Amino acid sequence: MKKFASAAGLFLLAPLIAEYLLGDFPITVLFPLILLGPTYGGAALLIRELARRFDLGWPSIVLLGLAYGVIEEGLMTQSLFNPNYAGAHLLEHGFIPALGIAVPWTMFVLTLHTVWSISAPIAIVEEMSLERRTTPWLGKIGLAVTAILAFLGAAATTVFTYVGMGRFMASIPQLATVVVIAAVLIVVAFRLRPARTPGTGRAPSAWLVLATALVAGVVFEAGWTWLPTWIGVVALGIAELGMAVIILVWSRKPGWGPWHRLALASGAILTYAWHGFFTNGVMPASPAVMLASHVIFAAGALALLVVAALRVRRAATVTA
């Protein structure tokens, strides 16, 4: 039952972070969870279960999260190629005709899925699972059901987007490229193995890890939201590559553990919490309802992080 609770928690948390904490939907509009649950929750849980069954490390989980982002935005919603997706004109800035994509949007949305739709929910729920953090939570039947739900969610999202977004369809070369890139990411993810040789020195304070993640979040969100196009692209690249290098170096140092993983996930979630207040959302709602929704979801995120911290501290106390 504890393993099932962890799996169910991840299944529900992934869409809540990916869309509601982000600010896309107000709290008065919960019916999209019927579709978002299998789409985001199914994918996050499937990635987590496969990673733990095949003894894959966090680099593999991140690559699988990136592959999911490529599949969702390249095949399911095709927002990477649709100039009129959701009426948001996402390809107006930084568009490269030869590729048919806009650099800022591609960098931004793929990172959203890699970090927030997949990695952060997995990290939070795993750290709350204590001794079950790296063990599979589902049996063969549960894994099969999760895979089916993820597939149905992806199929429903694809059909819903195609019908609701003017029946846009990317070109065959674009779709084929997406399939190849996703396949390469998946293959590489399954061939990677966790590093066994520790680095030199000691891991930094978890507070420093949290502060670094928060700063990277500000730079990342500023790169997409407020800075001029190509300066924004540079900011996005600095935030993404900088954090990737920092995490790879720090995570190999002796002393890296639960508090550091929780700090990274907390930095990501807190970034979404404050950024939600600057988001208009994709569903119509009054300013008062949107503000109340942002406050409620941010408070919920803080409460979740407090509970996770208490569980990590309890585990550390027991171990000591």
Side-chain angles (χ1 to χ4, degrees):
M1 289 303 296
K2 290 182 178 180
K3 291 183 178 181
F4 176 79
S6 296
L10 177 56
F11 188 88
L12 292 174
L13 183 62
L16 288 174
I17 291 177
E19 296 290 352
Y20 286 87
L21 185 60
L22 172 63
D24 279 350
F25 296 99
I27 197 169
T28 54
V29 183
L30 296 178
F31 68 87
L33 282 173
I34 298 174
L35 175 61
L36 298 175
T39 303
Y40 288 109
L45 183 56
L46 182 62
I47 287 172
R48 189 268 167 195
E49 287 298 296
L50 290 175
R52 295 316 178 195
R53 283 174 174 270
F54 287 90
D55 191 29
L56 306 180
W58 266 105
S60 295
I61 292 176
V62 170
L63 285 178
L64 291 173
L66 178 57
Y68 169 80
V70 170
I71 292 171
E72 175 166 335
E73 302 301 331
L75 297 180
M76 293 159 57
T77 69
Q78 298 187 36
S79 77
L80 296 182
F81 311 113
N82 187 350
N84 298 312
Y85 180 78
H89 307 292
L90 300 169
L91 307 187
E92 281 188 349
H93 304 288
F95 183 73
I96 299 180
L99 300 177
I101 62 173
V103 175
W105 172 243
T106 299
M107 295 176 66
F108 179 74
V109 75
L110 294 185
T111 304
L112 291 190
H113 288 305
T114 303
V115 176
W116 285 277
S117 300
I118 303 297
S119 299
I122 291 175
I124 288 293
V125 179
E126 281 197 341
E127 294 309 321
M128 294 179 68
S129 298
L130 305 179
E131 72 277 1
R132 301 181 302 280
R133 185 180 68 83
T134 58
T135 60
W137 296 334
L138 301 174
K140 293 181 179 179
I141 295 178
L143 185 63
V145 171
T146 300
I148 292 171
L149 287 174
F151 175 80
L152 292 177
T157 298
T158 303
V159 172
F160 178 82
T161 304
Y162 177 73
V163 174
M165 299 296 174
R167 297 182 182 274
F168 172 86
M169 182 61 66
S171 68
I172 296 299
Q174 287 174 325
L175 297 176
T177 301
V178 168
V179 172
V180 170
I181 291 175
V184 169
L185 289 170
I186 293 171
V187 170
V188 172
F190 275 90
R191 292 184 66 86
L192 285 178
R193 285 295 178 268
R196 304 299 183 186
T197 305
T200 59
R202 292 287 299 174
S205 163
W207 289 108
L208 177 58
V209 174
L210 174 60
T212 304
L214 289 173
V215 170
V218 172
V219 174
F220 176 79
E221 297 292 356
W224 167 250
T225 308
W226 298 300
L227 297 178
T229 300
W230 293 108
I231 295 178
V233 167
V234 173
L236 290 171
I238 290 174
E240 294 166 356
L241 295 178
M243 281 304 296
V245 172
I246 287 173
I247 294 170
L248 285 174
V249 172
W250 281 354
S251 62
R252 292 188 60 192
K253 291 182 178 294
W256 182 271
W259 285 115
H260 300 89
R261 293 188 293 268
L262 180 60
L264 283 174
S266 298
I269 289 176
L270 291 175
T271 296
Y272 252 20
W274 69 255
H275 184 263
F277 287 90
F278 298 92
T279 303
N280 294 324
V282 298
M283 296 292 289
S286 68
V289 170
M290 289 305 299
L291 178 59
S293 298
H294 296 328
V295 171
I296 292 171
F297 289 130
L302 286 172
L304 177 67
L305 295 180
V306 169
V307 172
L310 291 174
R311 290 183 67 83
V312 170
R313 186 175 69 174
R314 187 183 72 178
T317 302
V318 172
T319 302

